[in-house]
């Protein structure tokens, strides 16, 4: 009976093997023959390019691309049976628009449907917010993630993770690989734009899933990630295998697959990087460059002359890349903007700050006045905000928002073109001994204009837009003193029905909600807090924090609370109004400012409620609750600064916050130069 164990083994293998009618493996050493793929299902923006590369996404923000093998694979012999082993190998590359800024990544995915609807960004086109963690998802994925999302507790912005029914990885490690022998670990940058091979293997006997990556065809002997798990409860009898990738709101990458193999109950066929298609602009590794040495001197001279001619001719030409043609809005030529601003002369200079300079310009026929912001581009943060404004915020349209008309990029020069606002920023009418004093009717109309713009951002756009820097210096006035909210360099967008992720703390001292340093989450409620500070500064003619005032009077909201509790709140009204104001409206705005400045986010109204109050469609509550621990301001202000400087989510800030002229955080704030030096864009944006 010695044959009996062998017979049992054979029967066991047959029980765990898929039916012969189902596919069990495939091998794609490139996709040249799949220009019209019968065995691949492509959705979103994915496509097979002429050179045989499968492109999941291009560099357009907020897009998803998917590619799945058209037929499902049998992963079990029955619904409740054990899962089969499987193996896959593929070669990929992520090419970011800007070096070092990738977004968002790709995932190898096992799913029950190729038509699963999911948003881009951090969701990678796999799941949506309401599906996260649901057992009914039956989804297993290995993510190659290039953006750190605190909502999903990502370990960094360059990691590999195993996800089961959620994008909060069950296991993850920084991207790296082991050299031959497995003794040395080498870091690997996923968004380097270079080819990377991945091997994913699931052993149904040992119940372990291994992920291995390397920049070569030689497979390391040790995986970078091993996760012990029985996939049987999570896989259905039939599952699709494929890839999903997505781009972000601001920054994006092109995601490519160069070759792919897969096998049930066996080892996937090996891929050779040297035989795969080459990324455009990169030669194959096995290509040999042969240089002839019999070229005559005359030919060399002619070639050099032609090269010099074209270098001189194109020296001042705009460099246009593919991604720039897709992000909108209108792209101006550098020559147009140079001519419009008289070669960016000082005579057309409207203002300057840490982000760069703003110039008055004249474009088109008939002549149209514009404001041209020339972004100082010495830091990646400036680049991030430049791309943010043109790719996301540029699509916003509302009468109370400064309109982004277009943009331009020429080598190191980054330029944004806006509506020209003849009366410049509001702060010059409120502070520093203004030449003209706004009367109450003008101030009240400005307040309502800004509220209308914020309501559109929070509820009227296809996404929720959080401004994150509402203040007087970012409110611009046209020739009739109508107000528009501008400067969207710090703005952030997220989908309706989802929660905003944690991010770096940005903004201006005095407008930052007290919960923000603790949670790191900018929300519509934190915008409302800043709007409350804005209301008080418009009525009082004072900045939210006055470094020249006595400590007990430095914080404006506490000063207003103090007078309100004494029944003398109208004492804080700007004395330059000389008593000429509507007491009912003024009281209402002051009370609304205090309500919006509540230290409890849930107690603040929404922008829709605020607009109803301002329009007289609803009555404010009679009794207001002062902030917890209110003592006149000095102690609370010190506690606020302490909490801000010690916040775990603000690791890129220093521990001191010197006051600037308008109460900003200076160079210590995230996106430092742009958020901390609000130039009076004067007649600008």
């Amino acid at each position: 009976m010695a044959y009996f164990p062998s017979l049992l083994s054979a029967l066991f293998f047959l029980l765990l093997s898929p039916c012969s009618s189902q596919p069990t493996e495939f091998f794609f050493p490139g996709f040249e023959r799949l220009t019209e793929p019968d065995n691949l299902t492509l959705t979103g923006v994915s496509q097979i390019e002429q050179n045989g590369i499968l492109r999941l996404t291009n560099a357009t923000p907020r897009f998803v691309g998917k590619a799945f093998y058209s037929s499902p694979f049998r992963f079990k012999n029955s619904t409740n049976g054990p899962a089969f082993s499987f193996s896959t190998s593929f070669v990929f590359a992520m090419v970011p628009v800007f070096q070092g800024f990738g977004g968002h990544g790709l995932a190898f995915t096992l799913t029950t449907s190729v038509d699963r609807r999911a948003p881009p960004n951090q969701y990678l086109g796999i799941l949506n917010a309401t599906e996260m963690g649901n057992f009914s998802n039956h989804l297993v994925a290995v993510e190659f993630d290039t953006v750190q999302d605190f909502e999903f507790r990502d370990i960094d912005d360059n990691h590999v993770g195993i996800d089961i029914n959620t994008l909060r990885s069950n296991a993850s490690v920084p991207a790296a690989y082991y050299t031959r022998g497995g003794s040395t670990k080498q870091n690997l940058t996923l968004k380097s734009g270079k080819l990377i091979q991945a091997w994913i293997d699931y052993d149904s006997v040992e119940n372990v899933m291994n992920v291995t990556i390397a920049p070569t065809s030689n497979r390391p002997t040790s995986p970078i990630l091993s996760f012990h798990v029985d996939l049987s409860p999570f896989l259905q009898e039939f599952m699709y295998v494929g890839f999903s990738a997505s781009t972000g709101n601001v920054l994006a990458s092109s995601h490519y697959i160069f070759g792919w193999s897969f096998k049930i109950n066996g080892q996937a066929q090996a891929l050779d990087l040297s035989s795969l298609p080459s990324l455009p602009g990169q030669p194959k590794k096995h290509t040999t460059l042969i240089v002839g040495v019999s070229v005559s001197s005359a030919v060399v001279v002619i070639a050099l002359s032609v090269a010099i001619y074209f270098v001189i001719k194109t020296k001042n030409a705009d460099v246009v890349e593919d991604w720039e043609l897709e992000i909108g809005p209108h792209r101006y030529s550098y020559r147009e903007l140079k001519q419009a601003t008289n070669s960016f002369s000082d005579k057309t200079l409207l203002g300057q700050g840490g982000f760069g300079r703003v110039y008055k310009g004249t474009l088109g026929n008939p002549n149209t006045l514009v404001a041209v912001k020339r972004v100082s581009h010495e830091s990646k943060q400036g680049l991030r905000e430049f791309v943010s404004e043109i790719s996301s915020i540029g699509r916003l349209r509302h009468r109370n928002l400064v309109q982004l008309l277009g943009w331009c990029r020429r080598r190191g020069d980054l330029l944004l073109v806006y509506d020209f606002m003849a009366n410049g920023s509001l702060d010059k009418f409120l502070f520093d001994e203004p030449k003209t004093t706004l009367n109450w009717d003008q101030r009240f109309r400005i307040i309502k204009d800004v509220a209308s713009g914020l309501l559109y951002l929070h509820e009227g756009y296809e996404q929720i837009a959080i401004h994150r820097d509402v203040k007087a210096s970012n409110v611009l006035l046209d020739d009739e003193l109508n107000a528009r909210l501008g400067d969207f360099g710090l703005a952030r967008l997220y989908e309706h029905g989802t929660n905003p992720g944690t991010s770096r703390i940005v903004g201006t001292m005095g407008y930052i909600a007290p919960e923000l340093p603790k949670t790191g989450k900018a929300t519509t409620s934190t915008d409302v807090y800043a709007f409350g500070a804005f209301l008080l500064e418009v009525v009082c003619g004072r900045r939210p924090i006055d470094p020249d005032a006595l400590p007990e009077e430095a914080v404006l909201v506490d000063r207003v609370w103090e007078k309100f509790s004494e029944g003398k709140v109208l004492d804080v009204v700007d004395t330059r109004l000389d008593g000429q104001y509507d007491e009912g409206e003024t009281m209402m705005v002051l009370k609304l400012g205090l309500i919006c400045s509540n230290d409890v986010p849930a107690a603040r109204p929404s922008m829709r409620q605020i607009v109803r109050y301002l329009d007289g469609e609803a009555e404010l509550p009679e009794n207001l609750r002062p902030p917890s621990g209110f003592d006149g301001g000095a102690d609370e202000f010190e506690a606020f600064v302490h909490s801000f400087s010690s916040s775990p989510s603000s690791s890129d800030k220093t521990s001191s916050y010197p006051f600037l002229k308008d109460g900003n955080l200076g160079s210590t704030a995230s996106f430092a130069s742009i958020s901390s030096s609000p130039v009076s864009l004067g007649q600008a944006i």
Side-chain angles (χ1 to χ4, degrees), residues 64 488 634:
V64 170
F488 292 89

Side-chain angles (χ1 to χ4, degrees), residues 345-402:
S345 71
D346 289 342
K347 292 182 180 180
T348 64
L349 183 65
L350 297 174
Q352 64 185 54
F355 61 81
R357 297 185 169 194
V358 179
Y359 298 86
K360 181 179 179 180
T362 305
L363 280 173
N365 187 17
N367 292 335
T368 301
L369 293 177
V370 296
V372 181
K373 180 163 75 171
R374 193 173 189 180
V375 179
S376 174
H377 201 57
E378 297 178 353
S379 70
K380 293 179 181 179
Q381 290 146 338
L383 174 59
R384 185 192 299 270
E385 295 176 19
F386 175 81
V387 179
S388 172
E389 294 203 49
I390 62 176
S391 63
S392 299
I393 311 303
R395 295 193 290 268
L396 299 173
R397 296 289 186 274
H398 191 270
R399 66 182 182 279
N400 295 122
L401 300 180
V402 177

Side-chain angles (χ1 to χ4, degrees), residues 518-555:
K518 301 173 185 177
T519 66
K521 287 189 176 182
T523 65
T524 54
S525 186
T526 58
D527 266 0
V528 168
Y529 184 93
F531 182 72
F534 168 76
L535 291 176
L536 298 182
E537 70 178 330
V538 173
V539 176
C540 303
R542 281 188 51 189
R543 299 187 188 278
I545 296 178
D546 185 356
D548 297 325
L550 296 174
E552 62 271 17
E553 298 181 358
V555 182

